[in-house]
Amino acid sequence: PTSQDILAYLKSKNVPETHAYGMIANIDAESAFNQDAAEFPDTQKGGIGLFQHTGSRRKALEQFVPDWESNWKKQIDFALGEPESNKYLNTPFKTTEHASKWFTIHWERPSNAASEAQQRLNFLPETNKTPVVPPVFKENKSTTSNFSLMSSAYASEIGSKPINELTDAEIM
């Protein structure tokens, strides 16, 4: 699947766009959208699928999606049903960066989570690296100045810290 296929599918499951892009950045980093990705092919070790599930999560995925190599939608359904996904989907994120960082640290849980979370921000499309702006700006003739005010207000909320220096409390 492409990132757009996954985005459309996540939206059809009522996943907010900010959250969807956080997941997509991680899918890109984990498997490059290769639904049949296997860390160690022809073995029962390592990660598999879009999210590179390992260990007990891998076994559960294989039981839930026996045809995981060819069924990317069911892999996503499985991921959305995992306990961490409920917390993720119920956390209001202001940016896709925050969503991606949270997903890396709390859902994917790599051994070097903080640095991985920062690196995975590179997988986000540039157009989605901004605060979520309400649609009302489409109707306003002075969009640029209002967006600047919105950005300034947002910046004052979190300060001028780079994303990699924000704490989990600041992200959530």
Side-chain angles (χ1 to χ4, degrees):
T2 67
S3 62
Q4 291 305 308
D5 293 333
I6 293 172
L7 177 63
Y9 188 69
L10 288 169
K11 284 181 164 184
S12 79
K13 297 288 186 174
N14 298 316
V15 173
E17 190 169 290
T18 302
H19 293 70
Y21 277 109
M23 294 177 77
I24 288 169
N26 278 274
I27 291 170
D28 194 0
E30 289 288 336
S31 65
F33 305 107
N34 183 358
Q35 67 187 359
D36 64 346
E39 194 172 2
F40 302 110
D42 303 320
T43 71
Q44 291 298 309
K45 296 182 180 185
I48 60 169
L50 293 172
F51 297 95
Q52 288 295 286
H53 283 88
T54 59
S56 62
R57 291 171 90 184
R58 175 188 172 143
K59 288 179 181 155
L61 172 68
E62 290 172 321
Q63 289 176 349
F64 188 81
V65 192
D67 61 340
W68 65 268
E69 292 109 324
S70 60
N71 195 339
W72 65 269
K73 289 181 178 179
K74 197 77 167 171
Q75 286 185 47
I76 290 174
D77 292 344
F78 175 78
L80 291 173
E82 290 191 84
E84 296 85 356
S85 295
N86 189 44
K87 186 172 182 186
Y88 177 70
L89 294 172
N90 286 305
T91 300
F93 298 108
K94 294 183 180 187
T95 67
T96 56
E97 290 101 327
H98 291 162
S100 177
K101 189 173 179 182
W102 191 101
F103 196 85
T104 303
I105 293 169
H106 302 286
W107 198 96
E108 289 285 357
R109 301 184 304 262
S111 58
N112 51 348
S115 64
E116 275 293 319
Q118 184 61 30
Q119 288 176 355
R120 290 175 188 208
L121 296 179
N122 295 324
F123 290 95
L124 289 170
E126 285 298 319
T127 57
N128 290 299
K129 291 184 178 179
T130 57
V132 178
V133 179
V136 71
F137 287 106
K138 292 179 183 175
E139 300 169 12
N140 192 321
K141 292 183 181 180
S142 57
T143 302
T144 305
S145 61
N146 282 337
F147 183 75
S148 296
L149 290 172
M150 177 74 161
S151 297
S152 298
Y154 175 72
S156 68
E157 266 184 57
I158 63 167
S160 58
K161 288 184 183 178
I163 187 76
N164 64 326
E165 293 177 12
L166 292 174
T167 65
D168 282 343
E170 290 169 313
I171 291 171
M172 295 180 216

